[in-house]
């Protein structure tokens, strides 16, 4: 999925930067207060290392796609 995202982004003409923000659980409390079930219950937050690896994967696919567009 990350490679597909990078390929998709490569087709967007105005992309200047990419930030990968790890998922966090800050919204859990608000869902509980509203009496709603949290749809991502049990999903563990990403580590900084995982976010960096995800960004690397996306950017590699991005640059590969950009290179193939110019050939």
């Amino acid at each position: 999925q990350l490679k597909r995202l990078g390929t998709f982004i490569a087709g967007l003409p105005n992309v200047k930067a990419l930030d990968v923000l790890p998922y966090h659980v800050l919204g859990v409390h608000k869902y509980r207060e509203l009496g709603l079930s949290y749809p991502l219950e049990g999903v563990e937050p990403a580590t900084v290392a995982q976010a960096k690896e995800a960004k690397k994967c996306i950017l590699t696919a991005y640059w590969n796609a950009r290179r193939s567009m110019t050939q």
Side-chain angles (χ1 to χ4, degrees):
Q1 296 293 10
L2 294 176
K3 289 179 183 178
R4 287 178 50 196
L5 178 60
T7 301
F8 171 77
I9 293 170
L12 302 175
N14 297 323
V15 173
K16 303 288 184 215
L18 173 71
D19 289 326
V20 174
L21 304 175
Y23 163 76
H24 57 75
V25 292
L26 296 176
V28 175
H29 179 69
K30 181 164 272 194
Y31 271 80
R32 287 188 184 138
E33 283 191 358
L34 293 171
L36 301 172
S37 63
Y38 189 64
L40 298 174
E41 189 72 41
V43 174
E44 292 294 320
T47 65
V48 172
Q50 289 169 325
K52 286 181 181 179
E53 189 60 31
K55 182 175 181 176
K56 180 180 171 185
C57 183
I58 295 166
L59 287 176
T60 298
Y62 171 88
W63 288 116
N64 288 339
R66 293 292 290 207
R67 271 190 231 102
S68 70
M69 289 177 188
T70 60
Q71 294 177 358

